[in-house]
Amino acid sequence: MSEISGVRVRELAEQFGTPLYVYDESAMRKQLQTFTDSFQSNVLDTRVIYASKAFNCKAMIELVREYGCGLDVVSGGELYTALKTDFNPAHIYFHGNNKTPTEIRMALDGGVGTFVIDNEMEAAELLKQIKNTETDVFLRINPGIEAHTHQYIVTAHVDSKFGFSLLEKDVITETARKLQASGTIHVRGIHAHIGSQIFDKQAYVELVRKMFAFAKELNDLNVPVSEINLGGGFGAYYTAEDHPVPVQEVCETILRTCEEENEKNGGIIRRILIEPGRSIVAEAGSTLYTVGYLKKTPNKHYVFVDGGMSDNIRPALYQAKYDAYVADRENEPVFTDYTVAGKCCESGDILIESIPLPEVHTGDILVVKTTGAYGYSMASHYNKLPFPAVVFVKDGKAREVIERESYEHMTALEKQEERS
Ligand SMILES: *Cc1c(COP(=O)(O)O)cnc(C)c1O
């Protein structure tokens, strides 16, 4: 019988309906613990920050809080959600390349600890709004390294929408000086985030070296940065094609390289930060669907499910691959390779292009694995499908952390002319 953390999959589907996002809470706790345990150095202060855009909701933020991690937010909505919990705003890092004046105001009023400044105009806006509030700042750097899954490239890629290019050092030092001159803004460090689903440790080694070299330059130019934030991007396991580096190993590599580089560069750096998002929540999450109709075409056996690109855009957006199983039938022999398609009006609404499964019947529960990151957070109302519910499961108990949206709720903000 198929279970998630001691609760039968069928029971979850019956109790909460489908499509349903189910998170194994113990698995997320284990990841948070592994990151906080592994990212430790005898020489450098360290901090693990959860990049909440991977999955942001109150229950998740409360979980992160328990492990003493920081929290990344990139919008007023993510920030608002965090401010509605007991999370200490001093441990929030506000990212993004276009924080609006209203969002900056909201963050200052909310006591957000750190702004990660992306560009000159944003720095000017912060300067305009800051009064007597003390705030910390990191400058986002585009280090000219881009990493995705199996490869990373070191380029002089100067056209990224994110961050200050390393080629414009004058702009960076000038911006840092202006911010420092305010007296209340403290430029603590530099930040970079080089990509996602990174399987190559060497990309981080390269990044650490570049960041230390640049931090040294800044210090020599009288911009005394003492913290380096290396961003996220740690890989998760989706299918047998993926070989993510174990968390302990990647943390070890990063910190040993940082220690070496710090020694080489005169010990200018005091604290190293990382920002895992996906790797904390991806594998803990699954999506449950009820199988509707089946259809055979000359080359395909389609399984239609009651969700699709509206609850998981990643296959359509990035050709992301997923593994799945049919609940309670995991031990049955394979019948054929199926194509799992959603119910949205879009030919690209295919969740899994080809997967061997036992004979699938209407009413079966199909469980798509590793949907914990960028699933719920990228969900849309396309075709006016309401957002599914989210359930956390732990030690045989399920708790609903986000209710299923109703049609009433979905249309509540729509105005209607009175008709006589
Ligand atoms: C998206 C993002 C992260 C997290 O990336 P993952 O691949 O989910 O680990 C961290 N930092 C910043 C600035 C990001 O934009």
Side-chain angles (χ1 to χ4, degrees):
M1 240 140 25
S2 312
E3 297 187 343
I4 298 174
S5 203
V7 183
R8 271 194 73 191
V9 167
R10 275 230 157 252
E11 222 167 86
L12 289 166
E14 277 157 22
Q15 188 179 350
F16 300 103
T18 58
L20 181 69
Y21 296 105
V22 179
Y23 284 83
D24 180 340
E25 186 179 327
S26 331
M28 294 191 286
R29 288 179 176 277
K30 184 162 162 274
Q31 283 305 84
L32 285 163
Q33 192 69 56
T34 307
F35 266 108
T36 49
D37 286 348
S38 310
F39 203 64
Q40 296 279 354
S41 156
N42 293 327
V43 192
L44 291 155
D45 185 20
T46 55
R47 191 168 277 181
V48 177
I49 302 164
Y50 170 62
S52 76
K53 71 177 192 278
F55 173 53
N56 173 304
C57 73
K58 291 176 190 167
M60 186 63 211
I61 293 167
E62 291 290 3
L63 205 63
V64 171
R65 187 174 71 90
E66 275 187 50
Y67 290 82
C69 297
L71 191 78
D72 273 5
V73 299
V74 297
S75 72
E78 288 183 0
L79 174 59
Y80 178 87
T81 310
L83 293 177
K84 286 288 168 190
T85 70
D86 289 330
F87 200 90
N88 181 355
H91 297 158
I92 296 179
Y93 293 74
F94 195 7
H95 285 269
N97 64 304
N98 191 25
K99 303 172 193 74
T100 66
T102 313
E103 288 172 327
I104 290 176
R105 186 75 259 148
M106 181 180 169
L108 286 171
D109 292 345
V112 164
T114 307
F115 286 77
V116 181
I117 293 293
D118 188 274
N119 55 66
E120 271 182 283
M121 284 182 77
E122 188 178 78
E125 182 59 36
L126 181 63
L127 275 166
K128 200 168 105 190
Q129 293 205 31
I130 198 95
K131 288 187 189 98
N132 302 319
T133 333
E134 302 271 328
T135 191
D136 287 347
V137 156
F138 275 67
L139 296 177
R140 179 161 182 169
I141 305 297
N142 161 17
I145 302 171
E146 250 189 287
H148 296 283
T149 312
H150 302 294
Q151 284 157 352
Y152 71 94
I153 39 171
V154 180
T155 56
H157 178 57
V158 290
D159 296 315
S160 167
K161 84 167 194 174
F162 292 114
F164 295 90
S165 162
L166 269 186
L167 300 183
E168 28 169 35
K169 286 178 186 159
D170 295 351
V171 178
I172 301 173
T173 46
E174 206 37 49
T175 304
R177 288 205 182 103
K178 277 186 201 155
L179 290 167
Q180 297 278 38
S182 68
T184 48
I185 301 174
H186 310 289
V187 179
R188 301 284 183 210
I190 50 175
H191 166 273
H193 171 71
I194 57 172
S196 205
Q197 193 63 343
I198 300 170
F199 293 163
D200 188 346
K201 281 189 292 182
Q202 199 57 32
Y204 288 108
V205 170
E206 209 71 58
L207 174 64
V208 167
R209 291 187 178 142
K210 275 208 165 182
M211 292 296 273
F212 270 86
F214 186 56
K216 177 74 168 63
E217 277 188 60
L218 285 177
N219 274 271
D220 290 345
L221 291 165
N222 264 326
V223 179
V225 293
S226 61
E227 303 187 30
I228 292 180
N229 183 331
L230 298 164
F234 310 101
Y237 179 94
Y238 287 84
T239 70
E241 289 176 15
D242 299 328
H243 306 283
V245 187
V247 170
Q248 292 95 331
E249 197 180 321
V250 72
C251 287
E252 170 89 15
T253 302
I254 288 175
L255 284 177
R256 294 306 85 82
T257 314
C258 286
E259 289 163 5
E260 267 170 46
E261 289 297 310
N262 205 30
E263 201 167 312
K264 268 192 234 161
N265 289 291
I268 47 172
I269 297 301
R270 188 174 69 81
R271 178 185 282 161
I272 304 293
L273 307 90
I274 51 170
E275 304 172 321
R278 181 195 310 277
S279 50
I280 288 178
V281 289
E283 291 171 39
S286 309
T287 309
L288 277 47
Y289 300 98
T290 301
V291 172
Y293 305 121
L294 298 141
K295 180 170 117 166
K296 206 167 164 315
T297 61
N299 302 302
K300 286 186 179 202
H301 285 84
Y302 276 109
V303 172
F304 296 155
V305 295
D306 54 355
M309 65 192 294
S310 47
D311 58 77
N312 186 357
I313 190 72
R314 296 187 66 257
L317 197 58
Y318 316 115
Q319 289 75 52
K321 296 205 168 64
Y322 286 88
D323 197 5
Y325 62 92
V326 184
D328 297 340
R329 317 199 28 209
E330 284 171 284
N331 299 322
E332 292 182 21
V334 168
F335 173 70
T336 189
D337 286 334
Y338 285 99
T339 298
V340 179
K343 64 187 268 104
C344 296
C345 298
E346 178 73 57
S347 302
D349 180 26
I350 305 289
L351 289 172
I352 302 178
E353 189 53 54
S354 174
I355 181 167
L357 292 172
E359 191 168 8
V360 178
H361 305 293
T362 299
D364 278 342
I365 303 298
L366 185 85
V367 183
V368 178
K369 294 159 77 171
T370 325
T371 57
Y374 306 106
Y376 181 84
S377 67
M378 285 189 163
S380 78
H381 279 141
Y382 183 48
N383 289 159
K384 228 150 184 177
L385 302 188
F387 290 141
V390 181
V391 168
F392 280 11
V393 183
K394 182 169 167 275
D395 303 330
K397 290 203 182 69
R399 64 182 171 117
E400 192 172 39
V401 302
I402 306 178
E403 255 179 67
R404 181 175 304 283
E405 201 176 27
S406 65
Y407 292 137
E408 292 74 27
H409 195 179
M410 194 169 50
T411 51
L413 300 176
E414 298 181 20
K415 309 265 191 204
Q416 202 164 25
E417 294 280 312
E418 288 294 330
R419 269 184 297 173
S420 48

